[in-house]
Amino acid sequence: MTWLRDQQIKLHASLGDDNHDEEPAWVIAHRKEERLGLIRRKQQVLEGRLSQIRAKERQQKLRYENGESYQKRIKFNPNEHNSAAADKEASYLLDDYDSEEEITKPQVNADPEESGGISTKSFELLNRLGMIVKPMNEADDVEALDEPKIFYCSRTHSQLTQFANEVRRVNIPFALQGMTGSGDLKSKTEPLAELKYLSLGSRKNLCINPKVSRLENLSMINERCLELQQPGTSQDDRCPFIPNKENETLVNDFRDHALARVRDIEDMGELGKRVGVCPYYASRAGIKPSELVTLPYPLLLQKTAREALDITLKGHVVIIDEAHNLMDAITSMYSVKIFLSQLERSRNQLGVYLQRFRNKLKGRNRVYVTQVVRLVDSLIAYLTGISAKSKSADGLVDINDLMAGKGVDQINLYKVVRYLQESRLARKVDGYDMYQKQSKDAKFEKPTSTMPVLTQVQSFLQTLVNPAADGRYFFSRDEGNGLSLKYMLLDPTYHFKDIVEEARAVILAGGTMSPMEDYTHHLLPYLSSERIKLLSCGHVIPVENLLALPITKGPAELDFDFTFEKRNIPGMIDALGTCILKLSQVIPYGMVVFFPSYAYLEQTTSRWKSGLKNPRSIWSELSNQKAVFQESKDSNGAEDVLRDYTQAVQAGKGALLLSVIGGKMSEGINFSDKLGRGVVVVGLPFPNIHTAEWKAKLEYIESATLSRGGNAADGKVAGRQFYENACMRAVNQSVGRAIRHQNDYATIVMLDRRYNTPRIQEKLPAWIQKSLRNRDGKEQFPEILSSVAGFFEGKTA
């Protein structure tokens, strides 16, 4: 924040410093003073409004604390807009469509949560409805300059909320009041300014229309929101909160209130309800005058999202927190998967729709719907052919084989994808399908949180339009879900490059980013080493507050080898149970054990539970020592498990939580103090290198290494490093759950013979390496137990 204010002061000081050597000094000084005065007046107007809002909110809070009644004008009524009755059959008929118009005009994407662009016609509609927020008029344009600002990005809204709580503690001086006319800084006894902070979020977090927000599924919320704004939508169904020319005063009011104090995403939603305008769209008006903007990954990392929000990064600083997720997040955003069952269901829906409306479809609608059917048939034919010919669990797919269906080679994929986006065919087809089922069965209830299956097909077809050289197609057999097709991005470099090249600086931050070489080799390979600065800080705790131990042998001197080939040996599983039992006897309070996969966790606990009637079974003894909790693969139950675990720890007996690396408990959960006095990692969670996806990844890395001047041996080394780093980054993220503040302390135990190899130890974070004992793995198990017990002696709770 100090840097930000300094940059603003320098910018103001440089106003008018144009290179006009022929002009007298007094002319330059006058021009500079005029520009500075204009900015100062506009800033004073804005700050005046914000000060009034802050004072008003303080009075409201005081009245509330004093018990005085205060009646606010409430414009938002969640019961006012109930779901309408089922539309008549005719409402599912597609509107007339002219493809020639949409391909001859410039294309602009106006929605940050849509995967593709939209036509000029739709752009004009969205602009008219206020979805493209621009300065309302010159007089109200409070930001004369796009001054330096910080864009802070993190993975989840909860992490952004934590950040907002920290920012509330910060005060910085006004930028303009710290200067004289000549640009010199005055005394530092300046009045303090509150930071102009803005939270941006998705519709799921900001939608205040009950008709839409109740859908819960993000994709369906996006679809429904845009659907309510389409021409022909009845006045009763239109969203009453969308910004437009008639309610621009509300947008300005929302903007000023949003900037008046630091508000997290929940505050923004409540503010939208109070003002009576959509916070998802209205918040965009606050981007220009803000100083610090927070937003989740998708709104920053997708170029279409930035363009729709009118975000320019030029001259600004971008901070990406939790950056250990960055490459995976980019890969995930541009990867799409679709199952054979989804293709078959969409084909059935299209068939029923065409059977009913074929003779009523006008213009190009009939042609395009038929082409969509052919494309779906081609994808179905490929997968059914694979099912009959190949027994492989997965494999690489040639894109030409996907397009081998009858007449598909004559289809313009670009036009078809544009049509799907423009016509909202998925919504029409899905709506008619639900209508048919309700007509045939009066008891049938339409699901409220499902996405039209054709929308997923549409997303997959989008990847076929411009298949990137850094992407591949795969088929796979998923247990319980059958055959599927997947497009996967192999290299995130290109999709992140425009952010790096546009921004003034990009800061990747995180507590567990080790190993670091992946960022330079696979995310920023085009940058010279001089342009990349590495700053690695030690942990806030003293070295003696952490004990890190690799254990290579169990209590019975059995080598701990949790490789895929050996970890299923019954004796290995029993030795693991005995080791965890012994550790639980010397580690007080809470102890978290991370397994390499859900499948191995289930197999292990099943073995431990066998013979439960025997009081000497491993599970029985563990339960006698500590209350035992187990993370399930179903993420919905994670909060309940964590709550029960926390209560057991606080009750005093202690608790043992069996979790999974990469699972819900391995990220975003703080096992501070008593909740995590011990963290145990079982094995190394190496991904299956024999899958088609990992083979393709490693082949791509090897070929990329060759293209940069390396040889075949260099390519092999780069591939191996990437594979090991993917594993160790997951390990580091899990073990980092324990130590959360400067007075915290814990022991980290790593069970596997491979943890005593220098190559693996070097990939641990530096703060763990400083506290690493038994590096060579030669200490016997009794000695290790003694070290752990001694570590906790004399330490307070």
Side-chain angles (χ1 to χ4, degrees):
M1 295 301 100
T2 302
W3 176 90
L4 176 64
R5 185 60 85 228
D6 288 344
Q7 292 303 309
Q8 291 172 339
I9 292 173
K10 290 178 181 178
L11 176 64
H12 297 153
S14 65
L15 289 174
D17 291 344
D18 304 324
N19 293 323
H20 298 289
D21 295 337
E22 69 281 3
E23 291 185 346
W26 67 269
V27 173
I28 297 175
H30 179 70
R31 181 172 60 246
K32 180 175 181 177
E33 185 60 32
E34 277 193 333
R35 292 185 182 181
L36 193 57
L38 177 63
I39 295 175
R40 184 180 289 112
R41 288 192 295 274
K42 290 189 174 184
Q43 290 284 36
Q44 287 173 347
V45 170
L46 174 61
E47 290 296 340
R49 292 204 303 265
L50 299 186
S51 295
Q52 291 176 359
I53 291 171
R54 293 176 191 127
K56 183 178 179 180
E57 291 185 351
R58 283 194 295 268
Q59 291 175 358
Q60 291 173 355
K61 182 180 179 181
L62 186 61
R63 288 195 186 106
Y64 176 78
E65 291 174 346
N66 292 335
E68 299 178 25
S69 61
Y70 177 71
Q71 184 64 36
K72 294 186 294 184
R73 179 170 58 96
I74 303 295
K75 295 185 177 183
F76 175 77
N77 184 358
N79 298 317
E80 185 178 348
H81 307 284
N82 296 322
S83 298
D87 294 333
K88 295 180 180 180
E89 184 176 288
S91 67
Y92 299 110
L93 182 63
L94 290 163
D95 299 326
D96 291 348
Y97 183 80
D98 185 359
S99 64
E100 297 308 313
E101 181 179 344
E102 56 90 12
I103 65 172
T104 57
K105 293 183 180 181
Q107 306 300 323
V108 183
N109 181 14
D111 197 317
E113 297 186 54
E114 294 293 296
S115 60
I118 65 169
S119 70
T120 300
K121 179 188 287 187
S122 290
F123 180 82
E124 291 171 352
L125 167 65
L126 299 177
N127 192 26
R128 188 168 64 252
L129 292 173
M131 295 169 65
I132 309 300
V133 178
K134 298 177 180 178
M136 296 302 176
N137 52 62
E138 186 175 352
D140 196 55
D141 185 8
V142 299
E143 186 76 5
L145 290 176
D146 190 10
E147 295 186 348
K149 60 172 57 68
I150 296 172
F151 289 93
Y152 178 89
C153 175
S154 194
R155 192 176 61 89
T156 65
H157 284 294
S158 63
Q159 290 164 339
L160 293 174
T161 297
Q162 293 175 15
F163 178 72
N165 292 333
E166 294 299 317
V167 173
R168 289 188 178 104
R169 302 163 55 187
V170 176
N171 285 302
I172 53 179
F174 286 101
L176 286 171
Q177 291 183 345
M179 301 167 55
T180 65
S182 61
D184 297 327
L185 292 180
K186 286 183 180 179
S187 166
K188 293 187 178 180
T189 57
E190 304 272 353
L192 295 178
E194 291 198 40
L195 190 70
K196 290 188 280 295
Y197 179 102
L198 182 69
S199 295
L200 299 178
S202 66
R203 284 187 180 90
K204 184 174 182 180
N205 294 90
L206 290 177
C207 178
I208 61 173
N209 187 338
K211 289 182 180 179
V212 182
S213 61
R214 66 183 176 85
L215 298 177
E216 297 180 0
N217 180 282
L218 176 58
S219 297
M220 197 165 186
I221 288 174
N222 293 338
E223 285 276 336
R224 184 60 176 162
C225 174
L226 295 179
E227 186 181 63
L228 294 182
Q229 301 163 43
Q230 293 299 302
T233 304
S234 68
Q235 191 63 35
D236 291 339
D237 284 337
R238 281 185 177 275
C239 181
F241 306 108
I242 290 294
N244 52 53
K245 289 296 182 182
E246 285 70 34
N247 65 5
E248 65 180 50
T249 302
L250 296 180
V251 175
N252 296 340
D253 193 25
F254 178 91
R255 176 201 61 205
D256 292 347
H257 278 79
L259 297 176
R261 65 179 179 87
V262 176
R263 301 179 191 269
D264 59 28
I265 204 69
E266 288 79 13
D267 296 331
M268 295 288 281
E270 291 301 317
L271 177 62
K273 292 177 183 179
R274 189 176 58 179
V275 175
V277 69
C278 174
Y280 174 72
Y281 289 117
S283 59
R284 304 179 189 184
I287 294 176
K288 291 282 185 177
S290 63
E291 296 174 296
L292 176 58
V293 179
T294 64
L295 64 174
Y297 275 6
L299 298 187
L300 176 77
L301 298 180
Q302 292 178 310
K303 186 176 182 178
T304 53
R306 297 196 304 276
E307 290 174 345
L309 292 170
D310 196 23
I311 289 177
T312 174
L313 301 178
K314 187 175 182 180
H316 305 312
V317 173
V318 174
I319 301 176
I320 300 178
D321 200 4
E322 300 291 329
H324 64 275
N325 287 306
L326 181 57
M327 288 185 286
D328 289 340
I330 297 173
T331 298
S332 178
M333 285 177 194
Y334 293 93
S335 299
V336 182
K337 187 174 188 177
I338 188 166
F339 291 95
L340 175 60
S341 58
Q342 291 176 311
L343 289 166
E344 291 173 336
R345 191 159 77 251
S346 65
R347 178 61 179 87
N348 179 65
Q349 289 182 350
L350 285 165
V352 172
Y353 186 84
L354 270 178
Q355 185 178 3
R356 179 65 187 87
F357 294 107
R358 184 186 301 272
N359 295 329
K360 295 183 179 181
L361 294 177
K362 299 178 182 179
R364 303 288 294 173
N365 278 320
R366 185 186 304 179
V367 174
Y368 279 124
V369 174
T370 303
Q371 289 180 349
V372 173
V373 170
R374 288 183 178 178
L375 286 166
V376 173
D377 283 341
S378 185
L379 298 177
I380 291 174
Y382 175 81
L383 283 177
T384 52
I386 287 291
S387 179
K389 298 175 185 176
S390 174
K391 301 300 180 183
S392 300
D394 60 4
L396 199 61
V397 175
D398 186 337
I399 188 174
N400 294 317
D401 294 339
L402 297 178
M403 308 296 290
K406 181 180 178 181
V408 173
D409 58 335
Q410 303 298 317
I411 295 176
N412 186 324
L413 263 176
Y414 175 79
K415 285 187 177 182
V416 172
V417 170
R418 303 291 300 172
Y419 172 77
L420 287 168
Q421 294 166 349
E422 290 288 339
S423 66
R424 301 286 169 187
L425 176 65
R427 179 63 59 201
K428 296 284 187 179
V429 170
D430 184 73
Y432 183 70
D433 181 62
M434 294 296 106
Y435 171 79
Q436 282 285 90
K437 291 176 180 178
Q438 288 173 329
S439 300
K440 294 177 181 179
D441 184 1
K443 296 182 179 179
F444 177 82
E445 294 185 5
K446 181 180 178 180
T448 60
S449 59
T450 57
M451 179 177 65
V453 66
L454 192 56
T455 299
Q456 188 68 10
V457 177
Q458 176 180 326
S459 298
F460 188 81
L461 293 178
Q462 176 74 49
T463 69
L464 296 169
V465 175
N466 293 307
D470 51 7
R472 299 289 186 274
Y473 290 88
F474 305 91
F475 75 84
S476 65
R477 286 182 169 86
D478 292 12
E479 185 177 348
N481 293 314
L483 276 170
S484 66
L485 283 170
K486 180 178 182 179
Y487 170 79
M488 187 175 74
L489 184 72
L490 299 180
D491 186 359
T493 300
Y494 170 77
H495 296 282
F496 192 63
K497 187 175 182 180
D498 54 348
I499 294 177
V500 175
E501 292 183 338
E502 186 179 357
R504 176 186 183 127
V506 176
I507 300 172
L508 307 183
T512 52
M513 292 178 64
S514 298
M516 297 293 295
E517 57 262 27
D518 279 358
Y519 300 95
T520 55
H521 295 168
H522 307 295
L523 185 64
L524 307 167
Y526 52 89
L527 294 181
S528 64
S529 57
E530 291 77 17
R531 290 193 61 189
I532 300 176
K533 307 298 181 183
L534 177 62
L535 175 62
S536 182
C537 303
H539 209 290
V540 294
I541 62 167
V543 175
E544 59 269 18
N545 277 26
L546 175 66
L547 175 64
L549 289 163
I551 299 181
T552 60
K553 293 178 182 290
E557 292 301 303
L558 176 69
D559 284 340
F560 274 150
D561 187 346
F562 293 100
T563 57
F564 187 78
E565 294 78 13
K566 295 184 178 181
R567 68 187 185 188
N568 298 322
I569 298 173
M572 188 74 67
I573 296 176
D574 293 342
L576 172 62
T578 303
C579 178
I580 292 175
L581 174 62
K582 297 292 186 183
L583 288 170
S584 70
Q585 293 169 351
V586 295
I587 295 177
Y589 304 110
M591 177 173 159
V592 185
V593 181
F594 287 103
F595 286 75
S597 68
Y598 284 103
Y600 190 60
L601 172 58
E602 290 291 338
Q603 181 182 354
T604 301
T605 54
S606 177
R607 168 78 181 177
W608 292 348
K609 290 177 181 178
S610 60
L612 271 180
K613 294 182 179 179
N614 179 3
R616 302 291 297 174
S617 70
I618 293 175
W619 188 265
S620 297
E621 294 201 40
L622 283 172
S623 300
N624 290 334
Q625 185 64 38
K626 291 181 184 289
V628 182
F629 301 90
Q630 181 175 337
E631 178 185 353
S632 66
K633 197 169 185 179
D634 181 12
S635 60
N636 293 330
E639 291 184 2
D640 294 336
V641 172
L642 183 60
R643 183 195 62 237
D644 295 342
Y645 169 77
T646 301
Q647 291 175 350
V649 172
Q650 293 173 343
K653 178 183 177 181
L656 174 65
L657 177 59
L658 307 179
S659 188
V660 174
I661 297 174
K664 184 74 173 179
M665 304 295 180
S666 68
E667 185 171 350
I669 304 296
N670 295 335
F671 293 106
S672 60
D673 300 321
K674 292 182 179 181
L675 294 182
R677 289 304 182 209
V679 172
V680 180
V681 181
V682 179
L684 287 160
F686 281 107
N688 185 355
I689 200 172
H690 301 294
T691 63
E693 290 182 11
W694 266 100
K695 287 179 181 177
K697 279 185 181 181
L698 298 180
E699 288 175 2
Y700 182 87
I701 289 172
E702 291 176 15
S703 63
T705 303
L706 290 173
S707 68
R708 296 175 192 135
N711 54 39
D714 295 332
K716 294 291 184 184
V717 171
R720 187 190 70 188
Q721 288 284 355
F722 182 83
Y723 181 65
E724 290 181 350
N725 291 348
C727 167
M728 290 306 297
R729 202 157 26 245
V731 170
N732 294 339
Q733 183 63 18
S734 296
V735 298
R737 298 303 90 209
I739 304 292
R740 308 309 299 176
H741 60 82
Q742 63 181 354
N743 296 319
D744 209 352
Y745 60 92
T747 182
I748 296 173
V749 179
M750 296 158 282
L751 306 181
D752 198 293
R753 61 173 179 77
R754 292 169 289 180
Y755 279 113
N756 76 337
T757 58
R759 195 175 74 247
I760 295 297
Q761 291 179 1
E762 289 169 0
K763 296 181 186 298
L764 292 168
W767 61 274
I768 292 182
Q769 292 187 45
K770 291 179 181 178
S771 300
L772 193 63
R773 290 270 307 275
N774 190 32
R775 286 178 177 269
D776 56 7
K778 292 182 178 180
E779 285 190 32
Q780 301 296 311
F781 190 75
E783 297 177 74
I784 293 174
L785 280 182
S786 178
S787 297
V788 174
F791 171 77
F792 288 104
E793 285 181 3
K795 285 185 169 58
T796 59

